[in-house]
Amino acid sequence: WGAQETLTWRAPDGMAIEGLLILPPGASRADGPFPLTTLVHGGPYGRFADALDVGWGRWGQWLATAGYAVLQPNPRGGSGRGHDFADRVAGAVGKEDWADIEAGIDHLIAEGIADSERLGIGGWSQGGFMTAWAVGQTDRFKAGVMGAGVSDWGLMVAQSDVYDFEADLGGSFGWEADAPHRHHEVSPISFAHRIKTPLLILHGQNDARVPVSQAQYMYRALQHHNVP
């Protein structure tokens, strides 16, 4: 397995953010820079603990065995640092949490661990959302993996089995009087016209939490804009 260590960096607003770094088996920091894959956890009230990640949804070590360095960040919105830290993403997904993640990538580039020309990003559920969001905000990634991710928070209200929770994350139900609604501002589909990054979309057809229509919507958008 790859060597794994805890890591701390500063977000743009100065907050300390932590996560995990996994290096390829037998490698050390001095062997960098490596191609870097950033894996984003689900929830968003999840967390990467300092444990062996070899599951289907926690695949950091599998990527390390293929020669990648792996960043597993714990941005705002996750567990383990109190209510205020977790609540920062309510109605604001893709804002401070994305800034936390991108700052971690920049930190590893500055440290000579990550190759800025060989970056990837992926994740499941909220991690899938963050992947779809990230490729609509920047073209720095060479590829993304959107696993059971959210493309539109309005559709989540329409179809998810926990629609009120999804409205809390997206910031609106869509039936309020004061349109345009907040969820449009934080939905990856609103930025699909910017995407240049090839995106692998993985989704279960019978997913009740994040319905497969979320994947279909993003797929159609990428097809329309000729994105692989």
Side-chain angles (χ1 to χ4, degrees), residues 127-146:
F129 155 78
M130 190 60 72
T131 299
W133 177 263
V135 297
Q137 307 302 309
T138 178
D139 61 0
R140 72 191 305 184
F141 298 106
K142 298 302 183 184
V145 180
M146 177 187 178

Side-chain angles (χ1 to χ4, degrees), residues 91-109:
V93 284
K95 301 299 185 179
E96 292 179 331
D97 46 355
W98 164 237
D100 294 344
I101 293 167
E102 191 166 32
I105 297 170
D106 291 336
H107 173 75
L108 292 180
I109 293 171

